[in-house]
Amino acid sequence: MKKILVVGASGQIGTELVVALRSKFGNENVIASDIKDEIKPALQNGPYEKLDIMDASQLKTIVSKHGITEIYQLAALLSATAEKHPDFAWKLNMEGLFNVLNLAKEGTIKKIFWPSSIAVFGPNTPKTNTPQYTIMEPSTVYGISKLAGERWCEYYATQFDVDVRSIRYPGLISYTSLPGGGTTDYAVEIFYSAKRGEDFSCFLKADTALPMMYMDDAIRATISLMESPKEDVKIRSSYNLAGISFTPAEIAAAIQKFKPDFQITYDPDFRQKIADSWPGSIDDKAAQEHWGWKPNYDLEKMCKVMLDNVLEHDFQGS
Ligand code: NAD
Ligand code: AKB
């Protein structure tokens, strides 16, 4: 029987992933875990374990206690925070992955999901419709850790037959949990300002295009990849995944269709340099062809659902 452990479950993705996995596989079969003591209300309808993913023996104990068969390893420092704490970011982002890969190598775990990011690309990467295979050369600590992680995933898959699956997520947009220290966070924060009737000061320039995606699409893609037959998962580094690409000026204009008084100003900070090193849009032909990926949300549909729900349905509470 499938028993799933989600590591980093209290975060932006983890919260929604646990909710989706529990509704598909049953509350008791999905164990949420995070380094945090407090359990968010959204996670309280099933088992929870406090876990530091860098502690391999604690991980092993929890895996054996619950008879875990699959792990979604989400714990990491994201791009902006990682630039402030490079040593710790490298340690957390790599050790967390290795602890899970090694459990799978021993045969304890049957399947792993580990997220990569569009941050694996760098300033020398083609910016438009960035292909699956191209120049990478990331220039951020976060991107370097994600690219190294991808190479290790492929290595464990080919050398040790570890069933590890991965997606290069774009910036994710959701109303249930705040993002945790990334460069794409402005695209969530903007909805909080718009909903409150406030102006928004953006930390990126007006014309900075980045690949983004509404969270429902990202969760659907993740579960779809994990539930695909093993032979369909032909890429064992990480799959490009595309949703919506837009600039701050474009998302502001889309919000103004629903909230005509909304205003945006621009005050770029250190995150501009990170954003400038990333692609503006992504080619995800491989994900479409190998496991049937197709996004449901465009910019207008995403803005409507965000404005309807942000500050109304909040899983924030600890
Ligand atoms: P987040 O920062 O919102 O959540 C991370 C969670 O991990 C937090 O709840 C935190 O408490 C927990 N955590 C931190 N250190 C831990 C440790 N030592 N042991 C256990 N838990 C620990 O991040 P997120 O946005 O949910 O991202 C999850 C994953 O997806 C990350 O690997 C991130 O790189 C990747 N990703 C996210 C995005 C995005 O836009 N959100 C885009 C690309 C990739
Ligand atoms: C970040 O901005 O760091 C993340 C990501 C794209 O990986 N949202």
Side-chain angles (χ1 to χ4, degrees):
M1 208 212 340
K2 207 190 264 293
K3 278 269 183 180
I4 299 171
L5 177 68
V6 179
V7 182
S10 305
Q12 190 197 5
I13 301 174
T15 308
E16 299 213 23
L17 186 61
V18 168
V19 170
L21 288 170
R22 282 184 176 160
S23 88
K24 191 169 172 67
F25 299 113
N27 294 356
E28 291 310 307
N29 295 321
V30 180
I31 290 79
S33 74
D34 202 282
I35 199 164
K36 292 182 177 155
D37 285 311
E38 291 154 314
I39 311 172
K40 284 175 131 179
L43 304 180
Q44 286 172 4
N45 63 348
Y48 181 89
E49 294 280 358
K50 185 184 172 187
L51 166 68
D52 178 351
I53 191 58
M54 292 186 290
D55 184 339
S57 78
Q58 196 191 10
L59 172 65
K60 221 170 182 165
T61 305
I62 289 169
V63 162
S64 126
K65 175 179 162 191
H66 293 278
I68 299 296
T69 57
E70 292 181 17
I71 299 182
Y72 290 69
Q73 190 332 62
L74 307 177
L77 284 200
L78 276 73
S79 58
T81 317
E83 288 306 296
K84 292 182 179 157
H85 308 282
D87 295 348
F88 181 70
W90 177 255
K91 187 175 160 61
L92 171 61
N93 295 7
M94 300 315 297
E95 275 183 25
L97 174 60
F98 274 120
N99 286 343
V100 173
L101 285 174
N102 285 330
L103 274 187
K105 182 182 162 191
E106 289 166 15
T108 316
I109 295 296
K110 304 293 170 233
K111 221 192 278 184
I112 297 169
F113 178 80
W114 172 81
S116 185
S117 162
I118 51 145
V120 292
F121 300 114
N124 297 319
T125 303
K127 272 216 168 308
T128 308
N129 284 330
T130 301
Q132 175 72 38
Y133 299 107
T134 185
I135 298 169
M136 314 285 281
E137 300 180 2
S139 56
T140 62
V141 176
Y142 176 65
I144 295 168
S145 75
K146 289 296 184 186
L147 180 56
E150 286 191 8
R151 302 318 307 146
W152 280 111
C153 285
E154 190 183 281
Y155 186 83
Y156 271 66
T158 52
Q159 298 297 319
F160 310 124
D161 197 27
V162 165
D163 189 356
V164 56
R165 306 175 181 206
S166 178
I167 286 172
R168 291 173 182 153
Y169 288 134
L172 300 182
I173 298 168
S174 61
Y175 59 82
T176 53
S177 281
L178 281 169
T183 302
T184 58
D185 294 10
Y186 90 85
V188 178
E189 291 161 6
I190 195 170
F191 288 102
Y192 283 80
S193 297
K195 184 74 177 245
R196 289 193 187 105
E198 295 167 358
D199 294 350
F200 179 69
S201 170
C202 184
F203 58 73
L204 297 182
K205 290 194 229 158
D207 61 351
T208 310
L210 287 172
M212 303 276 188
M213 180 175 285
Y214 182 56
M215 186 64 86
D216 277 23
D217 273 344
I219 298 294
R220 195 167 49 80
T222 305
I223 296 176
S224 160
L225 173 64
M226 284 296 274
E227 292 304 303
S228 291
K230 197 174 174 186
E231 60 279 10
D232 289 354
V233 186
K234 297 180 177 74
I235 293 175
R236 294 295 177 158
S237 51
S238 192
Y239 277 94
N240 274 10
L241 197 73
I244 323 163
S245 285
F246 55 79
T247 65
E250 286 165 348
I251 192 174
I255 290 172
Q256 279 160 350
K257 287 190 189 147
F258 300 96
K259 297 217 160 241
D261 294 336
F262 175 68
Q263 294 298 326
I264 185 167
T265 55
Y266 302 96
D267 185 16
D269 67 13
F270 74 101
R271 290 168 280 193
Q272 183 66 48
K273 193 171 163 204
I274 301 176
D276 287 342
S277 76
W278 290 353
S281 59
I282 295 288
D283 179 334
D284 65 0
K285 242 189 264 92
Q288 294 174 35
E289 284 168 9
H290 296 181
W291 43 277
W293 164 245
K294 197 171 175 290
N296 279 340
Y297 284 82
D298 61 17
L299 181 57
E300 188 175 330
K301 192 171 167 193
M302 192 254 311
C303 285
K304 176 156 184 13
V305 74
M306 285 296 291
L307 288 169
D308 284 349
N309 289 287
V310 75
L311 293 172
E312 307 285 333
H313 301 93
D314 207 325
F315 292 181
Q316 246 39 277
S318 51

